[in-house]
Amino acid sequence: MKKKRRAVSSTGGLAVWSADRWSSVGLVSRSRLPAEMRDLGEDEEAKSSGYSGYGAEQGNTELKKAIAETFYKNTGITSDEIFVSDGAQCDISRLQMLLGSNISVAVQDPTFPAYVDSSVIMGKAGNYQERTGKYNSIVYMSCGPDNNFFPDLNNTPRTNVIFFCSPNNPTGYAASRKELEQLVDFAKNNGSIIIYDSAYATYIMDDSPRSIFEIPGANEVAIEVSSFSKFAGFTGVRLGWTVVPKNLCYSNGFPVIHDYNRIVCTCFNGASNVAQTGGLACLSPHGYEALRSTINYYMNNAEMMVELFTSFGLKVYGGRNAPYLWVHFPGSKSWDIFNEILEKTHILTVPGRGFGYKGEEFIRISAFAPKEAIYEASMRLKNHFHDTSDRYVLHC
């Protein structure tokens, strides 16, 4: 008896029931970790008598060197400025703890919700505004099609901290070199610290910077968080890192890195030795080459989805420097679009409103899936939008 099609929640946003299994477009479903990861793990086990004990809270020395060489070559960042962790999202909360509650915060709108949610937990968000879904003590920097997804810094109030994600989650927009130069200058002029999230940087296909530290002077105003989750499929394994440059100082001249080291050593016992061994294998020449092929696989999926939604007459953003799409349904509420696609096609997407006020009328669709699931989703969406796309296009 054929099983009934249905949909299931996923963190990534689009799930497809295909015959006898689920494919979730959003969870990194095609993690092709290199075979030498297993070999390296076996070598480490062979060297050890068994139990290895706690490692350094700041991370495995060789892994930190590999991260510096792979992602920060020619930026001036050194391995002793890198703190290996259990993921970027955990580091965002540690940074919030570091900076305390008596500071002001700016975020992109729309953006990854953890920046706002962790600010709320720390007591720095102020009162919630029911109508807009915003907090009155957070500065929301509008980033939409009308300003090419980059904030108008000339009209942005000064804050102590600026959370900035590039490629942006959910819009998929990667800031250009000129834009990041403007952001760094803005932070310098205002005495602000940029917390820069580069979790999707390995998916950048053009010449946009992959790190804030490619910009001269950024090491005086920025902290960068990143992750193995998206490019290496470590979502459940948990491995990431944060870069705190030695040149980044408080207004009194005291280096921020010393306080962050204290936070890490107090609140964290270090990333799993197993996860770090896997991360080291991923950054070996053969390992990273294998991961690049997986990145290209997902980006090919994204290209297919861009073509699909564009064929419906819809405006599609993202999918070129990030493995997800930001699709505009003018005049519609994002939760209504979410519900319609779920009920009619049994596909899960992510309502844009969940990423902020400026996410209304949008949905996010991720390309993290086997290609056959992308084909299946494409057929269902074609059948649905063949009869409905005109009512969305008329609002443009």
Side-chain angles (χ1 to χ4, degrees):
M1 181 177 176
K2 190 174 180 179
K3 295 181 180 179
K4 183 179 179 181
R5 297 192 309 177
R6 48 183 179 159
V8 60
S9 298
S10 77
T11 58
L14 192 160
V16 180
W17 177 251
S18 177
D20 59 352
R21 72 173 187 276
W22 284 109
S23 295
S24 174
V25 184
L27 298 176
V28 184
S29 58
R30 189 177 181 266
S31 176
R32 293 181 57 189
L33 303 181
E36 66 181 70
M37 176 186 291
R38 296 190 298 271
D39 299 337
L40 181 55
E42 290 169 1
D43 289 344
E44 291 297 320
E45 185 177 359
K47 293 175 187 175
S48 170
S49 59
Y51 179 67
S52 60
Y54 293 113
E57 292 93 340
Q58 300 87 350
N60 177 288
T61 300
E62 292 306 311
L63 177 57
K64 291 167 62 172
K65 289 179 180 178
I67 291 170
E69 179 66 21
T70 304
F71 301 109
Y72 300 103
K73 193 172 184 178
N74 301 323
T75 66
I77 294 299
T78 57
S79 61
D80 56 346
E81 297 171 302
I82 295 171
F83 294 80
V84 177
S85 71
D86 52 348
Q89 188 158 346
C90 298
D91 280 346
I92 290 166
S93 292
R94 292 184 189 108
L95 288 168
Q96 292 276 28
M97 184 184 301
L98 167 74
L99 298 168
S101 59
N102 296 319
I103 63 166
S104 52
V105 171
V107 300
Q108 293 158 290
D109 185 14
T111 197
F112 184 50
Y115 314 139
V116 171
D117 293 345
S118 57
S119 297
V120 172
I121 291 170
M122 287 298 297
K124 61 184 72 170
N127 294 325
Y128 180 71
Q129 302 171 26
E130 191 70 37
R131 184 182 65 83
T132 62
K134 296 181 178 181
Y135 291 87
N136 62 6
S137 294
I138 292 178
V139 172
Y140 293 84
M141 303 181 295
S142 177
C143 295
D146 55 330
N147 61 1
N148 199 32
F149 298 99
F150 188 79
D152 178 5
L153 297 178
N154 290 327
N155 292 305
T156 299
R158 186 260 176 197
T159 58
N160 300 110
V161 174
I162 303 167
F163 283 98
F164 197 90
C165 181
S166 181
N168 176 270
N169 181 9
T171 67
Y173 180 75
S176 68
R177 189 169 302 276
K178 182 178 179 180
E179 289 169 336
L180 290 182
E181 288 172 352
Q182 294 173 8
L183 182 64
V184 168
D185 287 343
F186 179 79
K188 281 187 174 183
N189 293 335
N190 287 283
S192 304
I193 293 177
I194 301 165
I195 298 180
Y196 188 85
D197 187 339
S198 63
Y200 288 95
T202 52
Y203 288 89
I204 293 176
M205 297 290 125
D206 60 19
D207 60 355
S208 301
R210 289 164 176 76
S211 168
I212 189 69
F213 299 118
E214 294 182 34
I215 308 303
N219 64 344
E220 299 174 8
V221 296
I223 294 170
E224 182 166 303
V225 297
S226 199
S227 171
F228 280 78
S229 291
K230 307 309 177 187
F231 75 88
F234 274 35
T235 44
V237 178
R238 308 308 305 150
L239 191 66
W241 70 89
T242 289
V243 180
V244 185
K246 297 172 185 173
N247 288 346
L248 177 65
C249 298
Y250 300 111
S251 57
N252 64 1
F254 188 79
V256 175
I257 191 171
H258 296 329
D259 277 354
Y260 190 66
N261 185 64
R262 181 68 179 268
I263 291 285
V264 168
C265 292
T266 302
C267 303
F268 187 50
N269 278 334
S272 159
N273 292 335
V274 175
Q276 291 189 80
T277 299
L280 192 57
C282 287
L283 298 185
S284 68
H286 294 304
Y288 199 61
E289 182 181 355
L291 293 177
R292 289 302 316 175
S293 74
T294 300
I295 289 168
N296 291 334
Y297 179 96
Y298 288 135
M299 292 307 294
N300 287 336
N301 285 352
E303 183 178 358
M304 290 170 54
M305 298 301 285
V306 168
E307 292 176 357
L308 176 70
F309 279 93
T310 301
S311 73
F312 302 148
L314 297 168
K315 287 284 188 180
V316 182
Y317 305 94
R320 294 173 178 83
N321 283 320
Y324 41 84
L325 283 58
W326 190 236
V327 185
H328 190 203
F329 291 80
S332 302
K333 292 186 177 297
S334 62
W335 276 102
D336 290 343
I337 298 300
F338 165 84
N339 285 326
E340 178 181 323
I341 292 176
L342 175 61
E343 291 171 4
K344 302 298 183 181
T345 71
H346 303 278
I347 294 171
L348 280 176
T349 60
V350 178
R353 193 63 174 78
F355 296 97
Y357 181 74
K358 288 292 184 177
E360 193 65 278
E361 299 188 354
F362 290 85
I363 60 168
R364 197 196 77 165
I365 297 178
S366 172
F368 283 134
K371 198 166 294 294
E372 58 268 25
I374 296 293
Y375 287 135
E376 169 76 13
S378 297
M379 293 305 299
R380 296 187 193 181
L381 291 165
K382 281 180 181 178
N383 290 336
H384 174 63
F385 282 103
H386 177 74
D387 298 322
T388 62
S389 60
D390 284 349
R391 65 186 169 95
Y392 300 117
V393 177
L394 287 175
H395 289 283
C396 293

